[in-house]
Amino acid sequence: NAGVTQTPKFRILKIGQSMTLQCTQDMNHNYMYWYRQDPGMGLKLIYYSVGAGITDKGEVPNGYNVSRSTTEDFPLRLELAAPSQTSVYFCASSYGTGKSNQPQHFGDGTRLSIL
Amino acid sequence: GENVEQHPSTLSVQEGDSAVIKCTYSDSASNYFPWYKQELGKRPQLIIDIRSNVGEKKDQRIAVTLNKTAKHFSLHITETQPEDSAVYFCAASKGGSSYKLIFGSGTRLLVRP
């Protein structure tokens, strides 16, 4: 059971480039989330998904897109990288029952620098 | 929307002393309050959580208290050890259809040997 797996671990992009951060989980969790963590700060929710085919915006969605075609995968896309998107990106998943919160499990993160 | 404030931003204690971190939340509909520990360069890891129908929860040296009336909750670590040194984040969620977590800004805890 690998849990939540994120790739790549590190990436350097030039301004204006695009890339996809990959996230996959093997816990059969229906809920998945993307957060960004700027240096010395807390986590901000970018996008989330409550199931395959369903996505919604979080606190800081601008400049990002997501898709959820399967239960396991929740990729995050940056279309036109900007220096303000330099951050550590964490993917998380949880089991949602519709009745009560369940703990979110995090991946190891992707450290992204935009130069 | 929900806002979570966390204090202090840094906390230094002597090994063996207790540490207390406090958070306040703005949305009275919030009903789930987890605490995460994040070591340098690592993922956030859940250490304890509490739901709104409970006032206190303990797990060995860690405890969390919740005051729904005042809309604040606290993390208590007793008999601190150097390995407790990390950044601690509180969060709040009101469940519903998404269980989105709103995080506090974090507390850097340093336990001096």
Side-chain angles (χ1 to χ4, degrees), chain A residues 31 33 35 37 41-42 45 48 50 90 98-101 103-104 106-108, chain B residues 31-32 36 38 43-44 46 51 89 93 95 97-101 103-105:
Chain A
Y31 288 24
Y33 311 83
Y35 296 89
Q37 184 177 32
M41 303 294 287
L45 182 64
Y48 65 97
V50 300
F90 287 100
K99 294 181 180 179
S100 66
N101 283 285
Q104 292 187 17
F106 285 80
D108 287 332
Chain B
N31 57 13
Y32 176 66
Y36 285 84
Q38 187 178 33
R43 69 176 78 180
L46 180 74
R51 302 180 190 277
F89 292 97
S93 171
S97 62
S98 68
Y99 305 129
K100 293 183 291 184
L101 287 178
F103 282 83
S105 55

PDB file of all heavy atoms in Angstrom, chain A residues 31 33 35 37 41-42 45 48 50 90 98-101 103-104 106-108, chain B residues 31-32 36 38 43-44 46 51 89 93 95 97-101 103-105:
ATOM      1  N   TYR A  31     -12.285  11.130  -2.201  1.00  0.00           N
ATOM      2  CA  TYR A  31     -11.988  12.548  -2.162  1.00  0.00           C
ATOM      3  C   TYR A  31     -10.491  12.764  -2.371  1.00  0.00           C
ATOM      4  O   TYR A  31      -9.666  12.095  -1.748  1.00  0.00           O
ATOM      5  CB  TYR A  31     -12.378  13.147  -0.810  1.00  0.00           C
ATOM      6  CG  TYR A  31     -13.871  13.286  -0.585  1.00  0.00           C
ATOM      7  CD1 TYR A  31     -14.792  12.498  -1.250  1.00  0.00           C
ATOM      8  CD2 TYR A  31     -14.350  14.220   0.321  1.00  0.00           C
ATOM      9  CE1 TYR A  31     -16.155  12.628  -1.035  1.00  0.00           C
ATOM     10  CE2 TYR A  31     -15.712  14.371   0.551  1.00  0.00           C
ATOM     11  CZ  TYR A  31     -16.604  13.562  -0.124  1.00  0.00           C
ATOM     12  OH  TYR A  31     -17.942  13.698   0.094  1.00  0.00           O
ATOM     13  N   TYR A  33      -7.415  16.096  -3.083  1.00  0.00           N
ATOM     14  CA  TYR A  33      -7.191  17.535  -2.901  1.00  0.00           C
ATOM     15  C   TYR A  33      -5.791  17.917  -3.384  1.00  0.00           C
ATOM     16  O   TYR A  33      -4.852  17.124  -3.296  1.00  0.00           O
ATOM     17  CB  TYR A  33      -7.280  17.910  -1.411  1.00  0.00           C
ATOM     18  CG  TYR A  33      -8.486  17.373  -0.687  1.00  0.00           C
ATOM     19  CD1 TYR A  33      -8.500  16.070  -0.183  1.00  0.00           C
ATOM     20  CD2 TYR A  33      -9.611  18.168  -0.475  1.00  0.00           C
ATOM     21  CE1 TYR A  33      -9.599  15.580   0.500  1.00  0.00           C
ATOM     22  CE2 TYR A  33     -10.714  17.682   0.207  1.00  0.00           C
ATOM     23  CZ  TYR A  33     -10.701  16.396   0.690  1.00  0.00           C
ATOM     24  OH  TYR A  33     -11.793  15.909   1.365  1.00  0.00           O
ATOM     25  N   TYR A  35      -3.022  21.050  -2.600  1.00  0.00           N
ATOM     26  CA  TYR A  35      -2.669  22.209  -1.790  1.00  0.00           C
ATOM     27  C   TYR A  35      -1.329  22.757  -2.278  1.00  0.00           C
ATOM     28  O   TYR A  35      -0.498  22.040  -2.822  1.00  0.00           O
ATOM     29  CB  TYR A  35      -2.491  21.833  -0.325  1.00  0.00           C
ATOM     30  CG  TYR A  35      -3.726  21.324   0.384  1.00  0.00           C
ATOM     31  CD1 TYR A  35      -4.040  19.972   0.389  1.00  0.00           C
ATOM     32  CD2 TYR A  35      -4.564  22.203   1.065  1.00  0.00           C
ATOM     33  CE1 TYR A  35      -5.164  19.505   1.057  1.00  0.00           C
ATOM     34  CE2 TYR A  35      -5.692  21.748   1.734  1.00  0.00           C
ATOM     35  CZ  TYR A  35      -5.978  20.403   1.725  1.00  0.00           C
ATOM     36  OH  TYR A  35      -7.089  19.946   2.378  1.00  0.00           O
ATOM     37  N   GLN A  37       1.972  25.075  -0.605  1.00  0.00           N
ATOM     38  CA  GLN A  37       2.540  25.565   0.640  1.00  0.00           C
ATOM     39  C   GLN A  37       3.722  26.453   0.299  1.00  0.00           C
ATOM     40  O   GLN A  37       4.773  25.980  -0.154  1.00  0.00           O
ATOM     41  CB  GLN A  37       2.987  24.418   1.551  1.00  0.00           C
ATOM     42  CG  GLN A  37       3.488  24.896   2.890  1.00  0.00           C
ATOM     43  CD  GLN A  37       3.865  23.756   3.822  1.00  0.00           C
ATOM     44  OE1 GLN A  37       4.320  22.706   3.388  1.00  0.00           O
ATOM     45  NE2 GLN A  37       3.668  23.965   5.111  1.00  0.00           N
ATOM     46  N   MET A  41       4.685  29.080   5.406  1.00  0.00           N
ATOM     47  CA  MET A  41       3.249  29.336   5.460  1.00  0.00           C
ATOM     48  C   MET A  41       2.476  28.033   5.616  1.00  0.00           C
ATOM     49  O   MET A  41       3.028  26.935   5.527  1.00  0.00           O
ATOM     50  CB  MET A  41       2.798  30.043   4.167  1.00  0.00           C
ATOM     51  CG  MET A  41       3.530  31.341   3.892  1.00  0.00           C
ATOM     52  SD  MET A  41       3.179  32.607   5.113  1.00  0.00           S
ATOM     53  CE  MET A  41       1.509  33.035   4.635  1.00  0.00           C
ATOM     54  N   GLY A  42       1.174  28.203   5.810  1.00  0.00           N
ATOM     55  CA  GLY A  42       0.291  27.049   5.868  1.00  0.00           C
ATOM     56  C   GLY A  42      -0.082  26.564   4.486  1.00  0.00           C
ATOM     57  O   GLY A  42       0.422  27.054   3.475  1.00  0.00           O
ATOM     58  N   LEU A  45      -5.727  25.464  -0.214  1.00  0.00           N
ATOM     59  CA  LEU A  45      -6.397  24.522  -1.105  1.00  0.00           C
ATOM     60  C   LEU A  45      -6.526  25.123  -2.505  1.00  0.00           C
ATOM     61  O   LEU A  45      -7.064  26.218  -2.670  1.00  0.00           O
ATOM     62  CB  LEU A  45      -7.774  24.180  -0.542  1.00  0.00           C
ATOM     63  CG  LEU A  45      -8.601  23.161  -1.314  1.00  0.00           C
ATOM     64  CD1 LEU A  45      -7.921  21.798  -1.312  1.00  0.00           C
ATOM     65  CD2 LEU A  45     -10.004  23.056  -0.732  1.00  0.00           C
ATOM     66  N   TYR A  48     -10.195  20.574  -5.490  1.00  0.00           N
ATOM     67  CA  TYR A  48     -10.516  19.312  -4.863  1.00  0.00           C
ATOM     68  C   TYR A  48     -11.506  18.550  -5.737  1.00  0.00           C
ATOM     69  O   TYR A  48     -12.122  19.118  -6.656  1.00  0.00           O
ATOM     70  CB  TYR A  48     -11.064  19.510  -3.452  1.00  0.00           C
ATOM     71  CG  TYR A  48     -12.381  20.228  -3.371  1.00  0.00           C
ATOM     72  CD1 TYR A  48     -13.584  19.523  -3.272  1.00  0.00           C
ATOM     73  CD2 TYR A  48     -12.442  21.619  -3.380  1.00  0.00           C
ATOM     74  CE1 TYR A  48     -14.795  20.178  -3.190  1.00  0.00           C
ATOM     75  CE2 TYR A  48     -13.646  22.282  -3.296  1.00  0.00           C
ATOM     76  CZ  TYR A  48     -14.825  21.562  -3.196  1.00  0.00           C
ATOM     77  OH  TYR A  48     -16.026  22.216  -3.121  1.00  0.00           O
ATOM     78  N   VAL A  50     -14.527  15.288  -5.363  1.00  0.00           N
ATOM     79  CA  VAL A  50     -15.265  14.378  -4.483  1.00  0.00           C
ATOM     80  C   VAL A  50     -15.531  13.038  -5.158  1.00  0.00           C
ATOM     81  O   VAL A  50     -16.146  12.153  -4.557  1.00  0.00           O
ATOM     82  CB  VAL A  50     -16.586  15.004  -4.004  1.00  0.00           C
ATOM     83  CG1 VAL A  50     -16.298  16.296  -3.236  1.00  0.00           C
ATOM     84  CG2 VAL A  50     -17.535  15.260  -5.150  1.00  0.00           C
ATOM     85  N   PHE A  90       1.240  19.805  -2.499  1.00  0.00           N
ATOM     86  CA  PHE A  90       0.875  18.554  -1.841  1.00  0.00           C
ATOM     87  C   PHE A  90      -0.470  18.072  -2.355  1.00  0.00           C
ATOM     88  O   PHE A  90      -1.428  18.836  -2.442  1.00  0.00           O
ATOM     89  CB  PHE A  90       0.783  18.732  -0.329  1.00  0.00           C
ATOM     90  CG  PHE A  90       2.110  18.872   0.355  1.00  0.00           C
ATOM     91  CD1 PHE A  90       2.583  20.119   0.718  1.00  0.00           C
ATOM     92  CD2 PHE A  90       2.881  17.750   0.638  1.00  0.00           C
ATOM     93  CE1 PHE A  90       3.807  20.258   1.356  1.00  0.00           C
ATOM     94  CE2 PHE A  90       4.102  17.879   1.275  1.00  0.00           C
ATOM     95  CZ  PHE A  90       4.569  19.136   1.632  1.00  0.00           C
ATOM     96  N   GLY A  98     -19.981  11.188   3.308  1.00  0.00           N
ATOM     97  CA  GLY A  98     -21.149  12.050   3.226  1.00  0.00           C
ATOM     98  C   GLY A  98     -21.751  12.339   4.576  1.00  0.00           C
ATOM     99  O   GLY A  98     -22.700  13.103   4.687  1.00  0.00           O
ATOM    100  N   LYS A  99     -21.191  11.709   5.621  1.00  0.00           N
ATOM    101  CA  LYS A  99     -21.744  11.893   6.960  1.00  0.00           C
ATOM    102  C   LYS A  99     -20.749  12.512   7.918  1.00  0.00           C
ATOM    103  O   LYS A  99     -21.108  13.221   8.830  1.00  0.00           O
ATOM    104  CB  LYS A  99     -22.211  10.546   7.517  1.00  0.00           C
ATOM    105  CG  LYS A  99     -23.368   9.946   6.763  1.00  0.00           C
ATOM    106  CD  LYS A  99     -23.785   8.621   7.380  1.00  0.00           C
ATOM    107  CE  LYS A  99     -24.959   8.024   6.600  1.00  0.00           C
ATOM    108  NZ  LYS A  99     -25.374   6.719   7.162  1.00  0.00           N
ATOM    109  N   SER A 100     -19.479  12.207   7.748  1.00  0.00           N
ATOM    110  CA  SER A 100     -18.490  12.755   8.676  1.00  0.00           C
ATOM    111  C   SER A 100     -17.138  12.838   7.997  1.00  0.00           C
ATOM    112  O   SER A 100     -16.836  12.089   7.076  1.00  0.00           O
ATOM    113  CB  SER A 100     -18.380  11.893   9.936  1.00  0.00           C
ATOM    114  OG  SER A 100     -17.858  10.628   9.611  1.00  0.00           O
ATOM    115  N   ASN A 101     -16.333  13.795   8.508  1.00  0.00           N
ATOM    116  CA  ASN A 101     -14.985  13.936   7.984  1.00  0.00           C
ATOM    117  C   ASN A 101     -14.130  12.726   8.310  1.00  0.00           C
ATOM    118  O   ASN A 101     -14.254  12.139   9.374  1.00  0.00           O
ATOM    119  CB  ASN A 101     -14.325  15.161   8.615  1.00  0.00           C
ATOM    120  CG  ASN A 101     -14.812  16.449   7.996  1.00  0.00           C
ATOM    121  OD1 ASN A 101     -14.435  16.800   6.902  1.00  0.00           O
ATOM    122  ND2 ASN A 101     -15.667  17.158   8.705  1.00  0.00           N
ATOM    123  N   PRO A 103      -9.826  11.506   8.045  1.00  0.00           N
ATOM    124  CA  PRO A 103      -8.502  12.136   7.921  1.00  0.00           C
ATOM    125  C   PRO A 103      -8.010  12.178   6.483  1.00  0.00           C
ATOM    126  O   PRO A 103      -8.225  11.258   5.700  1.00  0.00           O
ATOM    127  CB  PRO A 103      -7.612  11.236   8.773  1.00  0.00           C
ATOM    128  CG  PRO A 103      -8.531  10.603   9.758  1.00  0.00           C
ATOM    129  CD  PRO A 103      -9.821  10.404   9.006  1.00  0.00           C
ATOM    130  N   GLN A 104      -7.322  13.285   6.167  1.00  0.00           N
ATOM    131  CA  GLN A 104      -6.686  13.407   4.860  1.00  0.00           C
ATOM    132  C   GLN A 104      -5.255  12.887   4.956  1.00  0.00           C
ATOM    133  O   GLN A 104      -4.531  13.191   5.903  1.00  0.00           O
ATOM    134  CB  GLN A 104      -6.688  14.860   4.393  1.00  0.00           C
ATOM    135  CG  GLN A 104      -8.071  15.376   4.069  1.00  0.00           C
ATOM    136  CD  GLN A 104      -8.068  16.748   3.445  1.00  0.00           C
ATOM    137  OE1 GLN A 104      -7.039  17.232   2.958  1.00  0.00           O
ATOM    138  NE2 GLN A 104      -9.226  17.397   3.438  1.00  0.00           N
ATOM    139  N   PHE A 106      -1.564  12.718   3.086  1.00  0.00           N
ATOM    140  CA  PHE A 106      -0.794  13.533   2.153  1.00  0.00           C
ATOM    141  C   PHE A 106       0.308  12.744   1.450  1.00  0.00           C
ATOM    142  O   PHE A 106       0.870  11.788   2.002  1.00  0.00           O
ATOM    143  CB  PHE A 106      -0.145  14.706   2.906  1.00  0.00           C
ATOM    144  CG  PHE A 106      -1.116  15.790   3.257  1.00  0.00           C
ATOM    145  CD1 PHE A 106      -1.947  15.672   4.348  1.00  0.00           C
ATOM    146  CD2 PHE A 106      -1.192  16.936   2.478  1.00  0.00           C
ATOM    147  CE1 PHE A 106      -2.858  16.674   4.669  1.00  0.00           C
ATOM    148  CE2 PHE A 106      -2.085  17.955   2.794  1.00  0.00           C
ATOM    149  CZ  PHE A 106      -2.919  17.821   3.881  1.00  0.00           C
ATOM    150  N   GLY A 107       0.610  13.190   0.227  1.00  0.00           N
ATOM    151  CA  GLY A 107       1.785  12.704  -0.481  1.00  0.00           C
ATOM    152  C   GLY A 107       3.028  13.438  -0.009  1.00  0.00           C
ATOM    153  O   GLY A 107       2.945  14.322   0.857  1.00  0.00           O
ATOM    154  N   ASP A 108       4.186  13.095  -0.579  1.00  0.00           N
ATOM    155  CA  ASP A 108       5.456  13.682  -0.160  1.00  0.00           C
ATOM    156  C   ASP A 108       5.700  15.066  -0.740  1.00  0.00           C
ATOM    157  O   ASP A 108       6.652  15.736  -0.349  1.00  0.00           O
ATOM    158  CB  ASP A 108       6.619  12.767  -0.534  1.00  0.00           C
ATOM    159  CG  ASP A 108       6.709  11.546   0.339  1.00  0.00           C
ATOM    160  OD1 ASP A 108       6.273  11.626   1.510  1.00  0.00           O
ATOM    161  OD2 ASP A 108       7.199  10.504  -0.128  1.00  0.00           O
TER     162      ASP A 108
ATOM    163  N   ASN B  31     -16.959  21.434  12.127  1.00  0.00           N
ATOM    164  CA  ASN B  31     -17.220  20.330  13.050  1.00  0.00           C
ATOM    165  C   ASN B  31     -16.092  19.306  13.122  1.00  0.00           C
ATOM    166  O   ASN B  31     -16.219  18.271  13.771  1.00  0.00           O
ATOM    167  CB  ASN B  31     -18.524  19.621  12.656  1.00  0.00           C
ATOM    168  CG  ASN B  31     -18.503  19.106  11.239  1.00  0.00           C
ATOM    169  OD1 ASN B  31     -17.461  19.042  10.609  1.00  0.00           O
ATOM    170  ND2 ASN B  31     -19.662  18.740  10.731  1.00  0.00           N
ATOM    171  N   TYR B  32     -14.983  19.581  12.445  1.00  0.00           N
ATOM    172  CA  TYR B  32     -13.861  18.640  12.451  1.00  0.00           C
ATOM    173  C   TYR B  32     -12.575  19.433  12.506  1.00  0.00           C
ATOM    174  O   TYR B  32     -12.375  20.357  11.714  1.00  0.00           O
ATOM    175  CB  TYR B  32     -13.915  17.777  11.189  1.00  0.00           C
ATOM    176  CG  TYR B  32     -12.753  16.830  11.034  1.00  0.00           C
ATOM    177  CD1 TYR B  32     -12.561  15.777  11.925  1.00  0.00           C
ATOM    178  CD2 TYR B  32     -11.845  16.974   9.992  1.00  0.00           C
ATOM    179  CE1 TYR B  32     -11.495  14.900  11.780  1.00  0.00           C
ATOM    180  CE2 TYR B  32     -10.783  16.112   9.842  1.00  0.00           C
ATOM    181  CZ  TYR B  32     -10.611  15.073  10.738  1.00  0.00           C
ATOM    182  OH  TYR B  32      -9.561  14.216  10.590  1.00  0.00           O
ATOM    183  N   TYR B  36      -1.865  18.623  12.361  1.00  0.00           N
ATOM    184  CA  TYR B  36      -0.834  17.974  11.579  1.00  0.00           C
ATOM    185  C   TYR B  36       0.549  18.412  12.054  1.00  0.00           C
ATOM    186  O   TYR B  36       0.748  19.571  12.425  1.00  0.00           O
ATOM    187  CB  TYR B  36      -0.989  18.323  10.083  1.00  0.00           C
ATOM    188  CG  TYR B  36      -2.117  17.604   9.393  1.00  0.00           C
ATOM    189  CD1 TYR B  36      -3.415  18.098   9.450  1.00  0.00           C
ATOM    190  CD2 TYR B  36      -1.890  16.431   8.696  1.00  0.00           C
ATOM    191  CE1 TYR B  36      -4.456  17.438   8.821  1.00  0.00           C
ATOM    192  CE2 TYR B  36      -2.923  15.759   8.048  1.00  0.00           C
ATOM    193  CZ  TYR B  36      -4.200  16.268   8.127  1.00  0.00           C
ATOM    194  OH  TYR B  36      -5.227  15.604   7.494  1.00  0.00           O
ATOM    195  N   GLN B  38       4.509  18.633  10.757  1.00  0.00           N
ATOM    196  CA  GLN B  38       5.313  18.607   9.541  1.00  0.00           C
ATOM    197  C   GLN B  38       6.781  18.828   9.890  1.00  0.00           C
ATOM    198  O   GLN B  38       7.161  19.916  10.331  1.00  0.00           O
ATOM    199  CB  GLN B  38       4.840  19.661   8.538  1.00  0.00           C
ATOM    200  CG  GLN B  38       5.542  19.562   7.188  1.00  0.00           C
ATOM    201  CD  GLN B  38       5.033  20.578   6.185  1.00  0.00           C
ATOM    202  OE1 GLN B  38       4.643  21.681   6.536  1.00  0.00           O
ATOM    203  NE2 GLN B  38       5.054  20.215   4.906  1.00  0.00           N
ATOM    204  N   ARG B  43       6.127  15.537   4.460  1.00  0.00           N
ATOM    205  CA  ARG B  43       4.688  15.737   4.301  1.00  0.00           C
ATOM    206  C   ARG B  43       4.040  16.050   5.641  1.00  0.00           C
ATOM    207  O   ARG B  43       4.540  15.632   6.689  1.00  0.00           O
ATOM    208  CB  ARG B  43       4.061  14.459   3.738  1.00  0.00           C
ATOM    209  CG  ARG B  43       4.065  13.309   4.731  1.00  0.00           C
ATOM    210  CD  ARG B  43       3.360  12.085   4.185  1.00  0.00           C
ATOM    211  NE  ARG B  43       4.170  11.339   3.244  1.00  0.00           N
ATOM    212  CZ  ARG B  43       3.768  10.228   2.639  1.00  0.00           C
ATOM    213  NH1 ARG B  43       2.555   9.756   2.855  1.00  0.00           N
ATOM    214  NH2 ARG B  43       4.557   9.597   1.800  1.00  0.00           N
ATOM    215  N   PRO B  44       2.914  16.747   5.653  1.00  0.00           N
ATOM    216  CA  PRO B  44       2.143  16.894   6.897  1.00  0.00           C
ATOM    217  C   PRO B  44       1.588  15.534   7.307  1.00  0.00           C
ATOM    218  O   PRO B  44       1.094  14.779   6.464  1.00  0.00           O
ATOM    219  CB  PRO B  44       1.010  17.847   6.511  1.00  0.00           C
ATOM    220  CG  PRO B  44       1.461  18.498   5.254  1.00  0.00           C
ATOM    221  CD  PRO B  44       2.307  17.499   4.549  1.00  0.00           C
ATOM    222  N   LEU B  46      -0.974  13.606  10.140  1.00  0.00           N
ATOM    223  CA  LEU B  46      -2.008  13.767  11.159  1.00  0.00           C
ATOM    224  C   LEU B  46      -1.527  13.189  12.483  1.00  0.00           C
ATOM    225  O   LEU B  46      -1.052  12.053  12.542  1.00  0.00           O
ATOM    226  CB  LEU B  46      -3.278  13.041  10.713  1.00  0.00           C
ATOM    227  CG  LEU B  46      -4.455  13.105  11.674  1.00  0.00           C
ATOM    228  CD1 LEU B  46      -5.072  14.494  11.642  1.00  0.00           C
ATOM    229  CD2 LEU B  46      -5.494  12.049  11.324  1.00  0.00           C
ATOM    230  N   ARG B  51     -13.703  15.963  16.881  1.00  0.00           N
ATOM    231  CA  ARG B  51     -14.963  16.336  16.247  1.00  0.00           C
ATOM    232  C   ARG B  51     -15.763  17.191  17.213  1.00  0.00           C
ATOM    233  O   ARG B  51     -15.529  17.175  18.425  1.00  0.00           O
ATOM    234  CB  ARG B  51     -15.723  15.085  15.825  1.00  0.00           C
ATOM    235  CG  ARG B  51     -14.906  14.218  14.873  1.00  0.00           C
ATOM    236  CD  ARG B  51     -15.622  12.968  14.430  1.00  0.00           C
ATOM    237  NE  ARG B  51     -14.688  12.084  13.729  1.00  0.00           N
ATOM    238  CZ  ARG B  51     -14.365  12.204  12.456  1.00  0.00           C
ATOM    239  NH1 ARG B  51     -14.904  13.170  11.729  1.00  0.00           N
ATOM    240  NH2 ARG B  51     -13.504  11.370  11.895  1.00  0.00           N
ATOM    241  N   PHE B  89       0.378  22.339  12.403  1.00  0.00           N
ATOM    242  CA  PHE B  89      -0.717  23.055  11.759  1.00  0.00           C
ATOM    243  C   PHE B  89      -2.051  22.587  12.321  1.00  0.00           C
ATOM    244  O   PHE B  89      -2.289  21.376  12.436  1.00  0.00           O
ATOM    245  CB  PHE B  89      -0.719  22.806  10.249  1.00  0.00           C
ATOM    246  CG  PHE B  89       0.437  23.398   9.514  1.00  0.00           C
ATOM    247  CD1 PHE B  89       1.549  22.628   9.200  1.00  0.00           C
ATOM    248  CD2 PHE B  89       0.415  24.724   9.128  1.00  0.00           C
ATOM    249  CE1 PHE B  89       2.621  23.168   8.522  1.00  0.00           C
ATOM    250  CE2 PHE B  89       1.484  25.281   8.434  1.00  0.00           C
ATOM    251  CZ  PHE B  89       2.594  24.496   8.143  1.00  0.00           C
ATOM    252  N   SER B  93     -12.794  22.108   9.369  1.00  0.00           N
ATOM    253  CA  SER B  93     -13.629  21.708   8.250  1.00  0.00           C
ATOM    254  C   SER B  93     -15.066  21.621   8.721  1.00  0.00           C
ATOM    255  O   SER B  93     -15.328  21.254   9.870  1.00  0.00           O
ATOM    256  CB  SER B  93     -13.185  20.352   7.708  1.00  0.00           C
ATOM    257  OG  SER B  93     -14.104  19.859   6.759  1.00  0.00           O
ATOM    258  N   GLY B  95     -17.296  19.807   6.925  1.00  0.00           N
ATOM    259  CA  GLY B  95     -17.895  18.643   6.313  1.00  0.00           C
ATOM    260  C   GLY B  95     -18.761  18.984   5.136  1.00  0.00           C
ATOM    261  O   GLY B  95     -18.334  19.717   4.261  1.00  0.00           O
ATOM    262  N   SER B  97     -20.300  18.346   1.628  1.00  0.00           N
ATOM    263  CA  SER B  97     -20.031  17.539   0.439  1.00  0.00           C
ATOM    264  C   SER B  97     -18.565  17.484   0.052  1.00  0.00           C
ATOM    265  O   SER B  97     -18.202  16.791  -0.888  1.00  0.00           O
ATOM    266  CB  SER B  97     -20.823  18.084  -0.738  1.00  0.00           C
ATOM    267  OG  SER B  97     -20.414  19.416  -1.023  1.00  0.00           O
ATOM    268  N   SER B  98     -17.705  18.224   0.740  1.00  0.00           N
ATOM    269  CA  SER B  98     -16.322  18.276   0.271  1.00  0.00           C
ATOM    270  C   SER B  98     -15.291  18.011   1.346  1.00  0.00           C
ATOM    271  O   SER B  98     -14.192  17.600   1.048  1.00  0.00           O
ATOM    272  CB  SER B  98     -16.032  19.641  -0.350  1.00  0.00           C
ATOM    273  OG  SER B  98     -16.037  20.647   0.647  1.00  0.00           O
ATOM    274  N   TYR B  99     -15.625  18.281   2.612  1.00  0.00           N
ATOM    275  CA  TYR B  99     -14.678  18.138   3.714  1.00  0.00           C
ATOM    276  C   TYR B  99     -13.408  18.934   3.470  1.00  0.00           C
ATOM    277  O   TYR B  99     -12.317  18.495   3.809  1.00  0.00           O
ATOM    278  CB  TYR B  99     -14.339  16.669   3.941  1.00  0.00           C
ATOM    279  CG  TYR B  99     -15.573  15.831   4.165  1.00  0.00           C
ATOM    280  CD1 TYR B  99     -15.796  14.682   3.445  1.00  0.00           C
ATOM    281  CD2 TYR B  99     -16.528  16.229   5.091  1.00  0.00           C
ATOM    282  CE1 TYR B  99     -16.929  13.923   3.645  1.00  0.00           C
ATOM    283  CE2 TYR B  99     -17.661  15.478   5.299  1.00  0.00           C
ATOM    284  CZ  TYR B  99     -17.856  14.327   4.573  1.00  0.00           C
ATOM    285  OH  TYR B  99     -18.975  13.583   4.769  1.00  0.00           O
ATOM    286  N   LYS B 100     -13.527  20.110   2.890  1.00  0.00           N
ATOM    287  CA  LYS B 100     -12.358  20.948   2.686  1.00  0.00           C
ATOM    288  C   LYS B 100     -11.757  21.360   4.015  1.00  0.00           C
ATOM    289  O   LYS B 100     -12.478  21.720   4.944  1.00  0.00           O
ATOM    290  CB  LYS B 100     -12.753  22.214   1.907  1.00  0.00           C
ATOM    291  CG  LYS B 100     -13.187  21.956   0.487  1.00  0.00           C
ATOM    292  CD  LYS B 100     -13.494  23.249  -0.225  1.00  0.00           C
ATOM    293  CE  LYS B 100     -14.739  23.903   0.334  1.00  0.00           C
ATOM    294  NZ  LYS B 100     -15.093  25.128  -0.427  1.00  0.00           N
ATOM    295  N   LEU B 101     -10.432  21.320   4.093  1.00  0.00           N
ATOM    296  CA  LEU B 101      -9.730  21.764   5.281  1.00  0.00           C
ATOM    297  C   LEU B 101      -9.193  23.176   5.060  1.00  0.00           C
ATOM    298  O   LEU B 101      -8.591  23.459   4.026  1.00  0.00           O
ATOM    299  CB  LEU B 101      -8.557  20.839   5.602  1.00  0.00           C
ATOM    300  CG  LEU B 101      -8.854  19.455   6.171  1.00  0.00           C
ATOM    301  CD1 LEU B 101      -7.567  18.684   6.363  1.00  0.00           C
ATOM    302  CD2 LEU B 101      -9.609  19.573   7.490  1.00  0.00           C
ATOM    303  N   PHE B 103      -6.479  25.599   6.744  1.00  0.00           N
ATOM    304  CA  PHE B 103      -5.356  25.460   7.651  1.00  0.00           C
ATOM    305  C   PHE B 103      -4.987  26.776   8.317  1.00  0.00           C
ATOM    306  O   PHE B 103      -5.127  27.856   7.736  1.00  0.00           O
ATOM    307  CB  PHE B 103      -4.129  24.945   6.891  1.00  0.00           C
ATOM    308  CG  PHE B 103      -4.156  23.478   6.603  1.00  0.00           C
ATOM    309  CD1 PHE B 103      -4.839  22.983   5.505  1.00  0.00           C
ATOM    310  CD2 PHE B 103      -3.513  22.582   7.439  1.00  0.00           C
ATOM    311  CE1 PHE B 103      -4.867  21.623   5.236  1.00  0.00           C
ATOM    312  CE2 PHE B 103      -3.532  21.221   7.188  1.00  0.00           C
ATOM    313  CZ  PHE B 103      -4.212  20.741   6.086  1.00  0.00           C
ATOM    314  N   GLY B 104      -4.480  26.666   9.541  1.00  0.00           N
ATOM    315  CA  GLY B 104      -3.830  27.782  10.177  1.00  0.00           C
ATOM    316  C   GLY B 104      -2.448  27.984   9.570  1.00  0.00           C
ATOM    317  O   GLY B 104      -2.002  27.190   8.735  1.00  0.00           O
ATOM    318  N   SER B 105      -1.763  29.031  10.003  1.00  0.00           N
ATOM    319  CA  SER B 105      -0.492  29.403   9.397  1.00  0.00           C
ATOM    320  C   SER B 105       0.697  28.643   9.976  1.00  0.00           C
ATOM    321  O   SER B 105       1.816  28.782   9.491  1.00  0.00           O
ATOM    322  CB  SER B 105      -0.259  30.907   9.543  1.00  0.00           C
ATOM    323  OG  SER B 105      -0.355  31.278  10.903  1.00  0.00           O
TER     324      SER B 105
END
